[in-house]
């Protein structure tokens, strides 16, 4: 998306058990307008799947692994938003966060299992997408849609080798002309 960077940090990854969720955090970040996702160092399988989807369906979007994810939070040169069911309702803080995003980058942090309290303290905003327990993928999707105010739905993709032609019924995927 145009404008200031939006990065997503996925804290924690239990190899095997979390592979699908971690991959879906990355795919959701990509599809809904973030610029990059940072995954735990043992999430290489998810990195490969997300990179492969980006190669086929376009970008720009990058995926990286981090040995020390909390360092990314500490050193992030912008606003840190931690999504948690215990946080302030997204509808009450979205205007403030959108205003901050107009001036600088945003890091959206989501957990896998229990997130340690230092993350709550390090975040500029702890934000709940409802105060009910659900999923990091759902929370991330709703938050990004609020952050971009729906503009991410009309995003254009570059360097794709295929694209879906939307249809009322049926499935149509066509190759993209590299000259396009
Ligand atoms: C399965 S939950 C882990 C919940 C864990 N018991 C805790 O105390 O954080 C995984 C992640 O989903 C996200 N999440 C779950 N419910 C949420 C909500 N209502 N609002 C925002 N994010 C949520 C958070 O990022 C959380 O770390």
């Amino acid at each position: 998306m145009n404008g200031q960077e939006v990065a997503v940090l996925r804290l924690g990854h239990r190899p095997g058990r979390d592979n699908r969720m971690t991959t879906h955090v990355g795919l959701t970040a990509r599809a809904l307008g973030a610029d990059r996702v940072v995954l735990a160092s043992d999430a290489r399988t998810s990195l490969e799947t997300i990179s492969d989807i980006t190669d086929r369906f376009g970008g720009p979007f990058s995926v990286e692994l981090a040995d020390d994810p909390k360092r990314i939070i500490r050193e992030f040169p912008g606003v840190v938003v931690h999504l948690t069911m215990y946080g302030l309702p997204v509808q009450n803080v979205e205007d403030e966060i959108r205003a901050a995003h107009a001036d600088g980058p945003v890091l959206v942090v989501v957990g896998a299992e229990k997130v340690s309290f230092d993350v709550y303290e390090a975040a500029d905003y702890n934000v709940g997408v409802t105060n009910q327990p659900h999923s990091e993928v759902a929370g991330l999707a709703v938050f990004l849609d609020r952050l971009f105010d729906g503009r991410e739905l009309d995003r254009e993709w570059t360097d794709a080798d295929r694209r879906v032609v939307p249809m009322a019924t049926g499935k149509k995927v066509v190759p993209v002309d590299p000259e396009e």
Side-chain angles (χ1 to χ4, degrees):
M1 295 279 290
N2 296 330
Q4 300 284 350
E5 181 196 49
V6 175
V8 173
L9 172 64
R10 155 75 154 171
L11 284 178
H13 175 78
R14 296 159 290 186
R17 179 173 170 175
D18 281 341
N19 285 359
R20 207 156 168 270
M21 272 312 240
T22 301
T23 300
H24 285 191
V25 166
L27 295 181
T28 300
R30 172 187 168 276
L32 297 187
D35 299 287
R36 66 185 171 108
V37 68
V38 183
L39 307 176
S41 56
D42 45 6
R44 181 160 295 282
T45 311
S46 297
L47 174 142
E48 284 165 5
T49 305
I50 298 160
S51 300
D52 180 54
I53 295 282
T54 303
D55 288 346
R56 288 191 281 147
F57 286 90
F61 185 75
S62 65
V63 48
E64 58 208 78
L65 303 181
D67 287 328
D68 184 359
K70 288 187 183 168
R71 187 165 152 209
I72 291 174
I73 298 177
R74 282 195 306 274
E75 296 180 355
F76 191 73
V79 168
V80 176
V81 177
H82 169 224
L83 298 184
T84 164
M85 62 183 277
Y86 305 105
L88 298 176
V90 64
Q91 63 273 29
N92 294 359
V93 291
E94 62 179 291
D95 290 349
E96 229 178 280
I97 297 174
R98 263 200 302 271
H101 181 226
D103 289 337
V106 172
L107 178 68
V108 187
V109 181
V110 296
E113 44 192 339
K114 193 171 167 59
V115 172
S116 60
F117 199 68
D118 54 332
V119 174
Y120 291 72
E121 291 177 320
D124 297 294
Y125 294 91
N126 290 289
V127 175
V129 176
T130 77
N131 294 110
Q132 302 299 316
H134 52 81
S135 126
E136 52 271 45
V137 175
L140 180 63
V142 171
F143 178 77
L144 291 175
D145 187 60
R146 293 288 176 121
L147 181 67
F148 296 123
D149 220 359
R151 293 189 314 282
E152 82 286 359
L153 300 178
D154 295 317
R155 180 191 167 160
E156 304 280 334
W157 302 90
T158 56
D159 295 329
D161 66 16
R162 68 195 69 188
R163 101 185 139 79
V164 171
V165 179
M167 307 188 81
T169 309
K171 300 193 227 176
K172 189 168 179 184
V173 182
V174 295
V176 172
D177 179 350
E179 300 301 309
E180 236 178 57

PDB file of all heavy atoms in Angstrom, residues 10-11 14 21 82-87 109-116 120 127-140 143, ligand 1:
ATOM      1  N   ARG A  10       4.715 -11.548  14.172  1.00  0.00           N
ATOM      2  CA  ARG A  10       4.041 -12.690  14.792  1.00  0.00           C
ATOM      3  C   ARG A  10       4.958 -13.215  15.903  1.00  0.00           C
ATOM      4  O   ARG A  10       6.045 -13.723  15.612  1.00  0.00           O
ATOM      5  CB  ARG A  10       3.819 -13.734  13.703  1.00  0.00           C
ATOM      6  CG  ARG A  10       3.685 -15.145  14.150  1.00  0.00           C
ATOM      7  CD  ARG A  10       2.403 -15.429  14.760  1.00  0.00           C
ATOM      8  NE  ARG A  10       2.072 -16.840  14.620  1.00  0.00           N
ATOM      9  CZ  ARG A  10       1.064 -17.381  15.231  1.00  0.00           C
ATOM     10  NH1 ARG A  10       0.287 -16.670  16.011  1.00  0.00           N
ATOM     11  NH2 ARG A  10       0.799 -18.656  15.065  1.00  0.00           N
ATOM     12  N   LEU A  11       4.531 -13.069  17.142  1.00  0.00           N
ATOM     13  CA  LEU A  11       5.334 -13.534  18.280  1.00  0.00           C
ATOM     14  C   LEU A  11       5.048 -15.002  18.535  1.00  0.00           C
ATOM     15  O   LEU A  11       3.887 -15.397  18.644  1.00  0.00           O
ATOM     16  CB  LEU A  11       4.955 -12.769  19.544  1.00  0.00           C
ATOM     17  CG  LEU A  11       5.465 -11.343  19.688  1.00  0.00           C
ATOM     18  CD1 LEU A  11       4.930 -10.760  20.990  1.00  0.00           C
ATOM     19  CD2 LEU A  11       6.976 -11.277  19.648  1.00  0.00           C
ATOM     20  N   ARG A  14       4.989 -22.536  17.427  1.00  0.00           N
ATOM     21  CA  ARG A  14       5.250 -23.910  17.832  1.00  0.00           C
ATOM     22  C   ARG A  14       5.282 -24.750  16.564  1.00  0.00           C
ATOM     23  O   ARG A  14       4.227 -24.977  15.951  1.00  0.00           O
ATOM     24  CB  ARG A  14       4.146 -24.391  18.787  1.00  0.00           C
ATOM     25  CG  ARG A  14       4.123 -23.611  20.104  1.00  0.00           C
ATOM     26  CD  ARG A  14       2.816 -23.695  20.836  1.00  0.00           C
ATOM     27  NE  ARG A  14       1.756 -22.970  20.149  1.00  0.00           N
ATOM     28  CZ  ARG A  14       0.532 -22.771  20.624  1.00  0.00           C
ATOM     29  NH1 ARG A  14       0.202 -23.263  21.812  1.00  0.00           N
ATOM     30  NH2 ARG A  14      -0.358 -22.100  19.935  1.00  0.00           N
ATOM     31  N   MET A  21      -1.392 -21.568  11.192  1.00  0.00           N
ATOM     32  CA  MET A  21      -1.763 -20.239  11.706  1.00  0.00           C
ATOM     33  C   MET A  21      -0.709 -19.204  11.361  1.00  0.00           C
ATOM     34  O   MET A  21      -1.026 -18.083  10.966  1.00  0.00           O
ATOM     35  CB  MET A  21      -1.932 -20.294  13.231  1.00  0.00           C
ATOM     36  CG  MET A  21      -3.297 -20.676  13.687  1.00  0.00           C
ATOM     37  SD  MET A  21      -4.615 -19.776  12.887  1.00  0.00           S
ATOM     38  CE  MET A  21      -5.367 -19.000  14.265  1.00  0.00           C
ATOM     39  N   HIS A  82      -0.221  -3.685  19.672  1.00  0.00           N
ATOM     40  CA  HIS A  82      -0.311  -5.099  20.056  1.00  0.00           C
ATOM     41  C   HIS A  82      -1.784  -5.487  20.106  1.00  0.00           C
ATOM     42  O   HIS A  82      -2.575  -4.873  20.844  1.00  0.00           O
ATOM     43  CB  HIS A  82       0.365  -5.281  21.427  1.00  0.00           C
ATOM     44  CG  HIS A  82       0.118  -6.620  22.040  1.00  0.00           C
ATOM     45  ND1 HIS A  82      -0.200  -6.785  23.378  1.00  0.00           N
ATOM     46  CD2 HIS A  82       0.126  -7.872  21.508  1.00  0.00           C
ATOM     47  CE1 HIS A  82      -0.355  -8.072  23.629  1.00  0.00           C
ATOM     48  NE2 HIS A  82      -0.172  -8.751  22.518  1.00  0.00           N
ATOM     49  N   LEU A  83      -2.158  -6.486  19.318  1.00  0.00           N
ATOM     50  CA  LEU A  83      -3.560  -6.941  19.311  1.00  0.00           C
ATOM     51  C   LEU A  83      -3.767  -7.972  20.412  1.00  0.00           C
ATOM     52  O   LEU A  83      -3.086  -9.001  20.466  1.00  0.00           O
ATOM     53  CB  LEU A  83      -3.901  -7.545  17.951  1.00  0.00           C
ATOM     54  CG  LEU A  83      -3.806  -6.594  16.755  1.00  0.00           C
ATOM     55  CD1 LEU A  83      -4.265  -7.304  15.474  1.00  0.00           C
ATOM     56  CD2 LEU A  83      -4.588  -5.314  16.975  1.00  0.00           C
ATOM     57  N   THR A  84      -4.704  -7.676  21.272  1.00  0.00           N
ATOM     58  CA  THR A  84      -4.996  -8.549  22.409  1.00  0.00           C
ATOM     59  C   THR A  84      -6.442  -8.353  22.853  1.00  0.00           C
ATOM     60  O   THR A  84      -6.949  -7.218  22.844  1.00  0.00           O
ATOM     61  CB  THR A  84      -4.055  -8.257  23.600  1.00  0.00           C
ATOM     62  OG1 THR A  84      -4.609  -8.850  24.781  1.00  0.00           O
ATOM     63  CG2 THR A  84      -3.862  -6.774  23.853  1.00  0.00           C
ATOM     64  N   MET A  85      -7.058  -9.449  23.257  1.00  0.00           N
ATOM     65  CA  MET A  85      -8.450  -9.355  23.723  1.00  0.00           C
ATOM     66  C   MET A  85      -8.594  -8.479  24.964  1.00  0.00           C
ATOM     67  O   MET A  85      -9.694  -8.071  25.317  1.00  0.00           O
ATOM     68  CB  MET A  85      -9.001 -10.758  24.027  1.00  0.00           C
ATOM     69  CG  MET A  85      -8.270 -11.471  25.122  1.00  0.00           C
ATOM     70  SD  MET A  85      -8.872 -13.156  25.401  1.00  0.00           S
ATOM     71  CE  MET A  85     -10.282 -12.823  26.455  1.00  0.00           C
ATOM     72  N   TYR A  86      -7.469  -8.183  25.629  1.00  0.00           N
ATOM     73  CA  TYR A  86      -7.526  -7.375  26.858  1.00  0.00           C
ATOM     74  C   TYR A  86      -7.365  -5.880  26.577  1.00  0.00           C
ATOM     75  O   TYR A  86      -7.412  -5.067  27.501  1.00  0.00           O
ATOM     76  CB  TYR A  86      -6.420  -7.821  27.829  1.00  0.00           C
ATOM     77  CG  TYR A  86      -6.476  -9.298  28.123  1.00  0.00           C
ATOM     78  CD1 TYR A  86      -5.545 -10.167  27.555  1.00  0.00           C
ATOM     79  CD2 TYR A  86      -7.479  -9.827  28.924  1.00  0.00           C
ATOM     80  CE1 TYR A  86      -5.613 -11.536  27.796  1.00  0.00           C
ATOM     81  CE2 TYR A  86      -7.555 -11.198  29.165  1.00  0.00           C
ATOM     82  CZ  TYR A  86      -6.622 -12.043  28.598  1.00  0.00           C
ATOM     83  OH  TYR A  86      -6.697 -13.390  28.830  1.00  0.00           O
ATOM     84  N   GLY A  87      -7.172  -5.507  25.308  1.00  0.00           N
ATOM     85  CA  GLY A  87      -6.840  -4.126  24.979  1.00  0.00           C
ATOM     86  C   GLY A  87      -8.049  -3.213  24.840  1.00  0.00           C
ATOM     87  O   GLY A  87      -9.210  -3.613  25.038  1.00  0.00           O
ATOM     88  N   VAL A 109       1.543  -6.222  16.254  1.00  0.00           N
ATOM     89  CA  VAL A 109       2.072  -7.420  16.908  1.00  0.00           C
ATOM     90  C   VAL A 109       0.925  -8.359  17.253  1.00  0.00           C
ATOM     91  O   VAL A 109      -0.074  -7.924  17.851  1.00  0.00           O
ATOM     92  CB  VAL A 109       2.816  -7.037  18.210  1.00  0.00           C
ATOM     93  CG1 VAL A 109       3.397  -8.276  18.881  1.00  0.00           C
ATOM     94  CG2 VAL A 109       3.917  -6.012  17.921  1.00  0.00           C
ATOM     95  N   VAL A 110       1.056  -9.619  16.848  1.00  0.00           N
ATOM     96  CA  VAL A 110       0.067 -10.628  17.247  1.00  0.00           C
ATOM     97  C   VAL A 110       0.790 -11.802  17.886  1.00  0.00           C
ATOM     98  O   VAL A 110       1.945 -12.086  17.566  1.00  0.00           O
ATOM     99  CB  VAL A 110      -0.804 -11.131  16.065  1.00  0.00           C
ATOM    100  CG1 VAL A 110      -1.651 -10.017  15.492  1.00  0.00           C
ATOM    101  CG2 VAL A 110       0.040 -11.792  14.994  1.00  0.00           C
ATOM    102  N   GLY A 111       0.100 -12.504  18.787  1.00  0.00           N
ATOM    103  CA  GLY A 111       0.707 -13.621  19.499  1.00  0.00           C
ATOM    104  C   GLY A 111       0.302 -14.963  18.913  1.00  0.00           C
ATOM    105  O   GLY A 111      -0.479 -15.044  17.956  1.00  0.00           O
ATOM    106  N   ALA A 112       0.852 -16.004  19.509  1.00  0.00           N
ATOM    107  CA  ALA A 112       0.462 -17.373  19.166  1.00  0.00           C
ATOM    108  C   ALA A 112      -0.133 -17.984  20.432  1.00  0.00           C
ATOM    109  O   ALA A 112      -1.318 -18.275  20.501  1.00  0.00           O
ATOM    110  CB  ALA A 112       1.665 -18.164  18.704  1.00  0.00           C
ATOM    111  N   GLU A 113       0.705 -18.122  21.439  1.00  0.00           N
ATOM    112  CA  GLU A 113       0.212 -18.548  22.757  1.00  0.00           C
ATOM    113  C   GLU A 113       0.277 -17.333  23.677  1.00  0.00           C
ATOM    114  O   GLU A 113       0.203 -16.207  23.203  1.00  0.00           O
ATOM    115  CB  GLU A 113       1.047 -19.729  23.263  1.00  0.00           C
ATOM    116  CG  GLU A 113       2.517 -19.546  23.058  1.00  0.00           C
ATOM    117  CD  GLU A 113       3.319 -20.813  23.275  1.00  0.00           C
ATOM    118  OE1 GLU A 113       2.816 -21.726  23.956  1.00  0.00           O
ATOM    119  OE2 GLU A 113       4.447 -20.878  22.795  1.00  0.00           O
ATOM    120  N   LYS A 114       0.404 -17.571  24.971  1.00  0.00           N
ATOM    121  CA  LYS A 114       0.388 -16.461  25.927  1.00  0.00           C
ATOM    122  C   LYS A 114       1.517 -15.463  25.623  1.00  0.00           C
ATOM    123  O   LYS A 114       2.669 -15.848  25.459  1.00  0.00           O
ATOM    124  CB  LYS A 114       0.533 -17.014  27.337  1.00  0.00           C
ATOM    125  CG  LYS A 114       0.231 -16.019  28.414  1.00  0.00           C
ATOM    126  CD  LYS A 114       0.195 -16.738  29.752  1.00  0.00           C
ATOM    127  CE  LYS A 114       0.204 -15.792  30.925  1.00  0.00           C
ATOM    128  NZ  LYS A 114      -0.920 -14.874  30.937  1.00  0.00           N
ATOM    129  N   VAL A 115       1.148 -14.197  25.573  1.00  0.00           N
ATOM    130  CA  VAL A 115       2.119 -13.139  25.287  1.00  0.00           C
ATOM    131  C   VAL A 115       2.594 -12.555  26.620  1.00  0.00           C
ATOM    132  O   VAL A 115       1.781 -12.247  27.497  1.00  0.00           O
ATOM    133  CB  VAL A 115       1.461 -12.042  24.412  1.00  0.00           C
ATOM    134  CG1 VAL A 115       2.364 -10.836  24.255  1.00  0.00           C
ATOM    135  CG2 VAL A 115       1.082 -12.625  23.042  1.00  0.00           C
ATOM    136  N   SER A 116       3.904 -12.392  26.772  1.00  0.00           N
ATOM    137  CA  SER A 116       4.426 -11.937  28.068  1.00  0.00           C
ATOM    138  C   SER A 116       4.104 -10.457  28.298  1.00  0.00           C
ATOM    139  O   SER A 116       3.931  -9.677  27.347  1.00  0.00           O
ATOM    140  CB  SER A 116       5.926 -12.203  28.171  1.00  0.00           C
ATOM    141  OG  SER A 116       6.591 -11.520  27.154  1.00  0.00           O
ATOM    142  N   TYR A 120       3.006  -5.991  26.453  1.00  0.00           N
ATOM    143  CA  TYR A 120       1.903  -5.058  26.760  1.00  0.00           C
ATOM    144  C   TYR A 120       2.466  -3.696  27.150  1.00  0.00           C
ATOM    145  O   TYR A 120       1.935  -2.656  26.798  1.00  0.00           O
ATOM    146  CB  TYR A 120       1.041  -5.591  27.913  1.00  0.00           C
ATOM    147  CG  TYR A 120       0.220  -6.814  27.559  1.00  0.00           C
ATOM    148  CD1 TYR A 120       0.812  -8.062  27.379  1.00  0.00           C
ATOM    149  CD2 TYR A 120      -1.160  -6.717  27.408  1.00  0.00           C
ATOM    150  CE1 TYR A 120       0.053  -9.183  27.071  1.00  0.00           C
ATOM    151  CE2 TYR A 120      -1.927  -7.828  27.109  1.00  0.00           C
ATOM    152  CZ  TYR A 120      -1.317  -9.057  26.934  1.00  0.00           C
ATOM    153  OH  TYR A 120      -2.068 -10.155  26.627  1.00  0.00           O
ATOM    154  N   VAL A 127      -4.688  -3.262  21.710  1.00  0.00           N
ATOM    155  CA  VAL A 127      -5.976  -3.071  21.028  1.00  0.00           C
ATOM    156  C   VAL A 127      -6.749  -4.385  20.951  1.00  0.00           C
ATOM    157  O   VAL A 127      -6.204  -5.410  20.519  1.00  0.00           O
ATOM    158  CB  VAL A 127      -5.732  -2.532  19.591  1.00  0.00           C
ATOM    159  CG1 VAL A 127      -7.045  -2.435  18.814  1.00  0.00           C
ATOM    160  CG2 VAL A 127      -5.053  -1.161  19.655  1.00  0.00           C
ATOM    161  N   GLY A 128      -8.003  -4.334  21.331  1.00  0.00           N
ATOM    162  CA  GLY A 128      -8.878  -5.496  21.240  1.00  0.00           C
ATOM    163  C   GLY A 128      -9.840  -5.365  20.066  1.00  0.00           C
ATOM    164  O   GLY A 128     -10.434  -4.309  19.855  1.00  0.00           O
ATOM    165  N   VAL A 129      -9.958  -6.444  19.325  1.00  0.00           N
ATOM    166  CA  VAL A 129     -10.984  -6.525  18.271  1.00  0.00           C
ATOM    167  C   VAL A 129     -12.103  -7.335  18.909  1.00  0.00           C
ATOM    168  O   VAL A 129     -12.130  -8.564  18.810  1.00  0.00           O
ATOM    169  CB  VAL A 129     -10.404  -7.190  17.007  1.00  0.00           C
ATOM    170  CG1 VAL A 129     -11.496  -7.366  15.946  1.00  0.00           C
ATOM    171  CG2 VAL A 129      -9.256  -6.350  16.451  1.00  0.00           C
ATOM    172  N   THR A 130     -12.948  -6.637  19.603  1.00  0.00           N
ATOM    173  CA  THR A 130     -13.827  -7.165  20.654  1.00  0.00           C
ATOM    174  C   THR A 130     -12.939  -7.549  21.838  1.00  0.00           C
ATOM    175  O   THR A 130     -11.704  -7.644  21.699  1.00  0.00           O
ATOM    176  CB  THR A 130     -14.693  -8.391  20.252  1.00  0.00           C
ATOM    177  OG1 THR A 130     -13.872  -9.563  20.245  1.00  0.00           O
ATOM    178  CG2 THR A 130     -15.377  -8.195  18.915  1.00  0.00           C
ATOM    179  N   ASN A 131     -13.538  -7.745  22.992  1.00  0.00           N
ATOM    180  CA  ASN A 131     -12.762  -8.231  24.142  1.00  0.00           C
ATOM    181  C   ASN A 131     -13.074  -9.706  24.393  1.00  0.00           C
ATOM    182  O   ASN A 131     -13.060 -10.184  25.531  1.00  0.00           O
ATOM    183  CB  ASN A 131     -13.027  -7.358  25.378  1.00  0.00           C
ATOM    184  CG  ASN A 131     -12.489  -5.944  25.177  1.00  0.00           C
ATOM    185  OD1 ASN A 131     -13.254  -4.995  25.050  1.00  0.00           O
ATOM    186  ND2 ASN A 131     -11.181  -5.785  25.117  1.00  0.00           N
ATOM    187  N   GLN A 132     -13.324 -10.402  23.308  1.00  0.00           N
ATOM    188  CA  GLN A 132     -13.581 -11.840  23.361  1.00  0.00           C
ATOM    189  C   GLN A 132     -12.380 -12.581  22.788  1.00  0.00           C
ATOM    190  O   GLN A 132     -11.723 -12.082  21.869  1.00  0.00           O
ATOM    191  CB  GLN A 132     -14.821 -12.187  22.512  1.00  0.00           C
ATOM    192  CG  GLN A 132     -16.080 -11.462  22.934  1.00  0.00           C
ATOM    193  CD  GLN A 132     -16.477 -11.803  24.357  1.00  0.00           C
ATOM    194  OE1 GLN A 132     -16.441 -12.961  24.751  1.00  0.00           O
ATOM    195  NE2 GLN A 132     -16.834 -10.791  25.134  1.00  0.00           N
ATOM    196  N   PRO A 133     -12.110 -13.788  23.305  1.00  0.00           N
ATOM    197  CA  PRO A 133     -10.996 -14.544  22.736  1.00  0.00           C
ATOM    198  C   PRO A 133     -11.341 -15.055  21.345  1.00  0.00           C
ATOM    199  O   PRO A 133     -12.436 -15.584  21.137  1.00  0.00           O
ATOM    200  CB  PRO A 133     -10.831 -15.723  23.715  1.00  0.00           C
ATOM    201  CG  PRO A 133     -12.139 -15.844  24.410  1.00  0.00           C
ATOM    202  CD  PRO A 133     -12.784 -14.487  24.411  1.00  0.00           C
ATOM    203  N   HIS A 134     -10.435 -14.843  20.378  1.00  0.00           N
ATOM    204  CA  HIS A 134     -10.610 -15.494  19.065  1.00  0.00           C
ATOM    205  C   HIS A 134      -9.246 -15.775  18.480  1.00  0.00           C
ATOM    206  O   HIS A 134      -8.446 -16.450  19.140  1.00  0.00           O
ATOM    207  CB  HIS A 134     -11.571 -14.712  18.150  1.00  0.00           C
ATOM    208  CG  HIS A 134     -11.290 -13.270  17.960  1.00  0.00           C
ATOM    209  ND1 HIS A 134     -10.351 -12.819  17.074  1.00  0.00           N
ATOM    210  CD2 HIS A 134     -11.827 -12.153  18.532  1.00  0.00           C
ATOM    211  CE1 HIS A 134     -10.335 -11.494  17.100  1.00  0.00           C
ATOM    212  NE2 HIS A 134     -11.222 -11.056  17.987  1.00  0.00           N
ATOM    213  N   SER A 135      -8.953 -15.244  17.318  1.00  0.00           N
ATOM    214  CA  SER A 135      -7.736 -15.676  16.641  1.00  0.00           C
ATOM    215  C   SER A 135      -6.920 -14.485  16.157  1.00  0.00           C
ATOM    216  O   SER A 135      -7.473 -13.426  15.819  1.00  0.00           O
ATOM    217  CB  SER A 135      -8.129 -16.580  15.476  1.00  0.00           C
ATOM    218  OG  SER A 135      -7.572 -16.141  14.278  1.00  0.00           O
ATOM    219  N   GLU A 136      -5.601 -14.670  16.100  1.00  0.00           N
ATOM    220  CA  GLU A 136      -4.711 -13.627  15.604  1.00  0.00           C
ATOM    221  C   GLU A 136      -4.992 -13.289  14.139  1.00  0.00           C
ATOM    222  O   GLU A 136      -4.792 -12.164  13.701  1.00  0.00           O
ATOM    223  CB  GLU A 136      -3.244 -14.016  15.814  1.00  0.00           C
ATOM    224  CG  GLU A 136      -2.822 -15.367  15.288  1.00  0.00           C
ATOM    225  CD  GLU A 136      -3.024 -16.484  16.318  1.00  0.00           C
ATOM    226  OE1 GLU A 136      -4.088 -16.522  16.964  1.00  0.00           O
ATOM    227  OE2 GLU A 136      -2.130 -17.333  16.421  1.00  0.00           O
ATOM    228  N   VAL A 137      -5.446 -14.269  13.378  1.00  0.00           N
ATOM    229  CA  VAL A 137      -5.729 -14.022  11.961  1.00  0.00           C
ATOM    230  C   VAL A 137      -6.960 -13.114  11.828  1.00  0.00           C
ATOM    231  O   VAL A 137      -6.952 -12.122  11.082  1.00  0.00           O
ATOM    232  CB  VAL A 137      -5.945 -15.361  11.214  1.00  0.00           C
ATOM    233  CG1 VAL A 137      -6.361 -15.118   9.774  1.00  0.00           C
ATOM    234  CG2 VAL A 137      -4.675 -16.190  11.266  1.00  0.00           C
ATOM    235  N   ALA A 138      -7.990 -13.425  12.592  1.00  0.00           N
ATOM    236  CA  ALA A 138      -9.210 -12.604  12.559  1.00  0.00           C
ATOM    237  C   ALA A 138      -8.926 -11.205  13.088  1.00  0.00           C
ATOM    238  O   ALA A 138      -9.346 -10.195  12.497  1.00  0.00           O
ATOM    239  CB  ALA A 138     -10.302 -13.273  13.391  1.00  0.00           C
ATOM    240  N   GLY A 139      -8.195 -11.128  14.207  1.00  0.00           N
ATOM    241  CA  GLY A 139      -7.881  -9.817  14.785  1.00  0.00           C
ATOM    242  C   GLY A 139      -7.082  -8.967  13.810  1.00  0.00           C
ATOM    243  O   GLY A 139      -7.360  -7.777  13.619  1.00  0.00           O
ATOM    244  N   LEU A 140      -6.104  -9.590  13.170  1.00  0.00           N
ATOM    245  CA  LEU A 140      -5.262  -8.860  12.218  1.00  0.00           C
ATOM    246  C   LEU A 140      -6.082  -8.361  11.025  1.00  0.00           C
ATOM    247  O   LEU A 140      -5.927  -7.215  10.591  1.00  0.00           O
ATOM    248  CB  LEU A 140      -4.133  -9.795  11.731  1.00  0.00           C
ATOM    249  CG  LEU A 140      -3.158  -9.203  10.729  1.00  0.00           C
ATOM    250  CD1 LEU A 140      -2.394  -8.024  11.331  1.00  0.00           C
ATOM    251  CD2 LEU A 140      -2.180 -10.281  10.245  1.00  0.00           C
ATOM    252  N   PHE A 143      -8.253  -5.441  12.112  1.00  0.00           N
ATOM    253  CA  PHE A 143      -7.448  -4.253  12.424  1.00  0.00           C
ATOM    254  C   PHE A 143      -6.916  -3.600  11.149  1.00  0.00           C
ATOM    255  O   PHE A 143      -6.980  -2.368  11.000  1.00  0.00           O
ATOM    256  CB  PHE A 143      -6.289  -4.603  13.371  1.00  0.00           C
ATOM    257  CG  PHE A 143      -5.456  -3.389  13.646  1.00  0.00           C
ATOM    258  CD1 PHE A 143      -5.909  -2.424  14.539  1.00  0.00           C
ATOM    259  CD2 PHE A 143      -4.274  -3.158  12.960  1.00  0.00           C
ATOM    260  CE1 PHE A 143      -5.183  -1.250  14.750  1.00  0.00           C
ATOM    261  CE2 PHE A 143      -3.546  -1.995  13.170  1.00  0.00           C
ATOM    262  CZ  PHE A 143      -4.005  -1.043  14.062  1.00  0.00           C
TER     263      PHE A 143
HETATM  264  C1  LIG B   1      -5.018 -17.700  20.714  1.00  0.00           C
HETATM  265  S1  LIG B   1      -4.703 -16.083  21.146  1.00  0.00           S
HETATM  266  C2  LIG B   1      -3.717 -16.222  22.599  1.00  0.00           C
HETATM  267  C3  LIG B   1      -4.461 -15.771  23.764  1.00  0.00           C
HETATM  268  C4  LIG B   1      -3.648 -15.853  25.056  1.00  0.00           C
HETATM  269  N1  LIG B   1      -4.440 -16.569  26.004  1.00  0.00           N
HETATM  270  C5  LIG B   1      -3.248 -14.490  25.602  1.00  0.00           C
HETATM  271  O1  LIG B   1      -3.349 -14.289  26.781  1.00  0.00           O
HETATM  272  O2  LIG B   1      -2.788 -13.621  24.843  1.00  0.00           O
HETATM  273  C6  LIG B   1      -3.482 -15.635  19.976  1.00  0.00           C
HETATM  274  C7  LIG B   1      -3.471 -14.214  19.594  1.00  0.00           C
HETATM  275  O3  LIG B   1      -4.694 -13.851  18.991  1.00  0.00           O
HETATM  276  C8  LIG B   1      -4.888 -12.455  19.100  1.00  0.00           C
HETATM  277  N2  LIG B   1      -6.238 -12.228  19.627  1.00  0.00           N
HETATM  278  C9  LIG B   1      -7.068 -13.131  20.166  1.00  0.00           C
HETATM  279  N3  LIG B   1      -8.231 -12.556  20.535  1.00  0.00           N
HETATM  280  C10 LIG B   1      -8.132 -11.252  20.204  1.00  0.00           C
HETATM  281  C11 LIG B   1      -8.990 -10.125  20.325  1.00  0.00           C
HETATM  282  N4  LIG B   1     -10.213 -10.215  20.853  1.00  0.00           N
HETATM  283  N5  LIG B   1      -8.551  -8.935  19.876  1.00  0.00           N
HETATM  284  C12 LIG B   1      -7.332  -8.809  19.319  1.00  0.00           C
HETATM  285  N6  LIG B   1      -6.470  -9.826  19.176  1.00  0.00           N
HETATM  286  C13 LIG B   1      -6.858 -11.038  19.613  1.00  0.00           C
HETATM  287  C14 LIG B   1      -3.779 -11.939  20.019  1.00  0.00           C
HETATM  288  O4  LIG B   1      -2.768 -11.325  19.263  1.00  0.00           O
HETATM  289  C15 LIG B   1      -3.289 -13.205  20.698  1.00  0.00           C
HETATM  290  O5  LIG B   1      -1.950 -13.109  21.129  1.00  0.00           O
END
